[in-house]
Amino acid sequence: MAPLPTWPPAMTEAQKADLAQQAATYALANGFTLLPVPAKGERVPAIPTQVITAPLSLLPTPFPRPAYVQAKSIQRVYNALYARVTLDWEFLDKIMMHVAPVDDFQAELWNRWKAIREEITVTQPVHLGIFRSDYLLHAHGNATGQKAVIKQVEFNTIAASFGALSQKASEMHRYLSEQSGYYNVHPQLRNANAFVDNHSLEDIAAGLAEGHQAYGSREAAVLFVVQEGERNVFDQRALEYRLLKNHDVRSVRLTFAEIAQRGQLDDDKVFWLDSPLGKEPLEVAVVYYRAAYTPADYTTSAEWDTRVLLERSQAIKCPSMALQLAGAKKVQQVLAEPGVLEDMLLGSSRPDVGFGVGSGSLTERDCAALRETWTGLWPLDSSEEGKKAYQLAREYPERFVLKPQREGGGNNIYRDNIPPYLAKLDEEDKAQPGEAPRREAYILMELIEPPQGVHNFLVRGGEGTPRLADVVSELGVYGVSLFGGKAVPVNKEAGTLLRTKGRESDEGGVAIGISSIDSPLLI
């Protein structure tokens, strides 16, 4: 694997200013945008009148071509793995039995799902997954130009965002190359084959359309479940527009509160939405969650009740409650234990999801390909491995990150913050003896060490001035999976996302301006 070049190449101030102007106007003209942060005390307006560019990079960031190809090539194996986990209720229950006592959110999700299983026969056995597997490059050594391999950060089974904006970032960088030639500052920036041909917007929209087709009612719609005051609205809207234009499928976007007001189940468990505009009630074919992944989305039991109402319907959920549970960090850690992955993918007693990879069945080589992308993962329970991990975290915190069962970023504990955080949890345990140790809500993960010496010019959303930053890039690979019941199985890789941030930040939120949406320049 070729080492990464020192980046970026030298540019004049005039060249940077010209690129920034072209990037901004391209972004605004093509929906590579966010809603601006509202003024203090105000809300995002119901009818937008202003937009800002999404955080972006002026140049694509170098990324090893073999690592990019590798990440894309194993996505369908990951799709199959998490489909099997989703259908293996005994496996999920065994994991959640240990997570639920120390994590109220996961407990509520698991218990509500179990109640549905116990009360009724599952109304809709078909699951739709729109996944994203995230990777960082891990460097061998510390010198500039060192070789690097991909290591998985996490696997997302709910609300995998930025598919539309990612495609627009790739298109923007290709446009800048064709328009300006990047002023001949580096030969790779004029090499058309170095720019990725990314169709994540079309591929994810096609995945939603596959779910709609499996439901079987042409007039039914896709329901986007969204957060109130969503600023990343154009990423979502682009999917709606593609669904209608390419697949003749209508969409509607509502919050939990709005669904509670307008939604109802009929006797056949069909979910209908009343229209405040005097139209006929709308049948829902697919429920696509761009919310519901964080405790903040469930401020009262009413939101949980609405989630259960949707889960009981015939609509195909993306994801179902089971598929959301499958994305828990604890599942990631357990799969990494010796033999567990192999048993899940190859074991004859595991659920059949109806597809392998390519033209054949899953193999030991597929298992090895996944394990090759994993870094060290440990429990923090009372097992021998858990005790070992606890000691490692206290004695060598600079090597690790502490991860809870959460999605959405901003939840992890890094490096030297780990020992005092564990001490705080221990003190809380002493105040309530007899309960499961709070640290069992977390897993310990070995830190991935990205290559040094890569920089880029990043532009924060709403700002026009690029800043030179020492950067780290995280590659996400999207996947689409339709499985369960009598549906014709679907298993596809669905494009990529590159998020680039300053090395000084451990977290990577795009909407809050930490990360920029980027694209790879294949080296």
Side-chain angles (χ1 to χ4, degrees):
M1 189 176 294
L4 298 176
T6 301
W7 201 256
M11 300 175 66
T12 67
E13 291 300 317
Q15 288 170 340
K16 283 189 290 183
D18 184 60
L19 270 185
Q21 189 271 341
Q22 291 198 55
T25 52
Y26 184 95
L28 291 170
N30 289 276
F32 187 16
T33 50
L34 297 173
L35 292 177
V37 178
K40 187 175 181 180
E42 298 183 6
R43 295 185 175 185
V44 172
I47 301 177
T49 57
Q50 296 180 337
V51 299
I52 60 174
T53 64
L56 54 85
S57 63
L58 289 191
L59 287 73
T61 299
F63 201 92
R65 184 184 297 271
Y68 184 79
V69 172
Q70 177 191 6
K72 292 187 66 173
S73 70
I74 58 176
Q75 182 59 40
R76 290 188 296 161
V77 184
Y78 271 118
N79 293 349
L81 172 61
Y82 279 87
R84 288 200 166 207
V85 170
T86 300
L87 297 183
D88 196 326
W89 295 358
E90 182 180 353
F91 179 78
L92 280 176
D93 285 347
K94 189 179 296 184
I95 291 174
M96 290 302 148
M97 284 174 60
H98 296 284
V99 172
V102 288
D103 190 308
D104 292 340
F105 179 70
Q106 294 290 331
E108 192 74 22
L109 184 64
W110 180 51
N111 287 326
R112 295 266 187 168
W113 174 54
K114 282 197 303 176
I116 295 171
R117 287 159 41 188
E118 293 166 0
E119 291 172 10
I120 60 173
T121 301
V122 174
T123 307
Q124 178 54 266
V126 178
H127 305 256
L128 175 61
I130 293 178
F131 304 137
R132 197 184 68 231
S133 185
D134 292 335
Y135 306 91
L136 286 170
L137 288 173
H138 181 62
H140 294 294
N142 296 314
T144 298
Q146 72 272 43
K147 295 181 180 180
V149 296
I150 56 167
K151 293 294 180 182
Q152 189 184 54
V153 178
E154 63 184 357
F155 191 89
N156 302 275
T157 63
I158 182 169
S161 59
F162 299 119
L165 297 193
S166 176
Q167 179 172 322
K168 293 176 186 295
S170 299
E171 293 167 347
M172 181 194 73
H173 285 141
R174 187 178 290 273
Y175 162 78
L176 291 174
S177 174
E178 293 171 349
Q179 174 69 15
S180 71
Y182 278 106
Y183 323 111
N184 297 317
V185 296
H186 195 282
Q188 245 354 48
L189 288 168
R190 298 202 65 177
N191 177 6
N193 292 328
F195 292 80
V196 299
D197 192 19
N198 184 28
H199 299 283
S200 46
L201 168 57
E202 277 84 5
D203 291 344
I204 293 172
L208 291 168
E210 297 266 19
H212 182 273
Q213 183 177 1
Y215 181 81
S217 175
R218 183 174 177 80
E219 297 302 316
V222 174
L223 168 61
F224 284 57
V225 182
V226 299
Q227 295 171 326
E228 185 176 355
E230 175 64 73
R231 292 181 54 232
N232 188 29
V233 62
F234 302 105
D235 182 57
Q236 300 171 6
R237 287 288 193 183
L239 289 170
E240 297 177 41
Y241 303 151
R242 281 299 194 279
L243 271 172
L244 188 60
K245 180 179 179 180
N246 295 355
H247 306 282
D248 196 26
V249 173
R250 291 179 296 165
S251 305
V252 60
R253 50 187 294 113
L254 299 171
T255 63
F256 269 144
E258 292 167 330
I259 295 167
Q261 292 176 347
R262 294 176 51 183
Q264 58 182 328
L265 279 180
D266 67 16
D267 292 340
D268 295 321
K269 303 298 182 184
V270 175
F271 197 80
W272 296 90
L273 291 167
D274 292 332
S275 171
L277 304 176
K279 295 181 179 180
E280 292 293 320
L282 190 63
E283 182 179 358
V284 174
V286 174
V287 181
Y288 175 42
Y289 287 101
R290 292 295 292 259
Y293 56 86
T294 170
D297 290 332
Y298 302 87
T299 56
T300 69
S301 61
E303 287 83 11
W304 282 111
D305 292 343
T306 301
R307 179 72 188 270
V308 168
L309 188 69
L310 292 167
E311 193 75 14
R312 286 184 167 129
S313 75
Q314 284 194 32
I316 295 173
K317 273 69 69 177
C318 180
S320 63
M321 295 173 98
L323 187 47
Q324 183 174 346
L325 287 167
K329 303 300 184 294
K330 185 64 178 176
V331 171
Q332 183 184 10
Q333 179 262 306
V334 170
L335 287 170
E337 293 176 356
V340 176
L341 167 68
E342 290 76 10
D343 185 38
M344 181 61 68
L345 275 182
L346 308 179
S348 60
S349 63
R350 298 298 188 180
D352 181 12
V353 295
F355 51 70
V357 176
S359 59
S361 300
L362 294 160
T363 66
E364 291 183 1
R365 182 175 296 181
D366 293 318
C367 297
L370 297 196
R371 284 198 180 275
E372 187 180 343
T373 67
W374 293 350
T375 188
L377 293 162
W378 294 269
L380 281 170
D381 54 22
S382 58
S383 67
E384 288 304 312
E385 279 295 297
K387 293 175 183 177
K388 173 186 173 184
Y390 181 76
Q391 285 303 115
L392 286 171
R394 296 296 296 267
E395 296 176 11
Y396 307 101
E398 70 279 1
R399 293 170 46 191
F400 300 105
V401 54
L402 201 61
K403 304 182 81 169
Q405 316 301 313
R406 290 288 179 273
E407 302 295 338
N411 301 299
N412 299 331
I413 312 298
Y414 290 88
R415 302 181 182 87
D416 290 340
N417 291 326
I418 294 175
Y421 191 81
L422 288 175
K424 172 178 170 288
L425 295 180
D426 291 343
E427 287 300 315
E428 292 175 359
D429 290 339
K430 292 177 183 177
Q432 293 182 300
E435 296 187 2
R438 283 162 174 74
R439 66 175 180 270
E440 292 192 12
Y442 298 79
I443 67 167
L444 189 69
M445 183 175 182
E446 189 175 12
L447 275 173
I448 304 167
E449 298 295 343
Q452 302 280 344
V454 179
H455 297 70
N456 206 337
F457 297 108
L458 305 183
V459 181
R460 290 189 173 96
E463 299 180 6
T465 305
R467 60 188 176 91
L468 180 64
D470 182 5
V471 298
V472 172
S473 294
E474 184 171 322
L475 177 70
V477 182
Y478 295 101
V480 170
S481 182
L482 185 73
F483 58 95
K486 297 181 180 179
V488 177
V490 174
N491 183 11
K492 296 178 180 178
E493 175 261 310
T496 59
L497 162 72
L498 195 72
R499 288 170 295 175
T500 295
K501 64 184 179 182
R503 185 178 294 273
E504 72 280 357
S505 174
D506 284 316
E507 297 296 348
V510 169
I512 60 175
I514 294 175
S515 287
S516 292
I517 301 179
D518 196 356
S519 73
L521 186 73
L522 300 182
I523 301 296

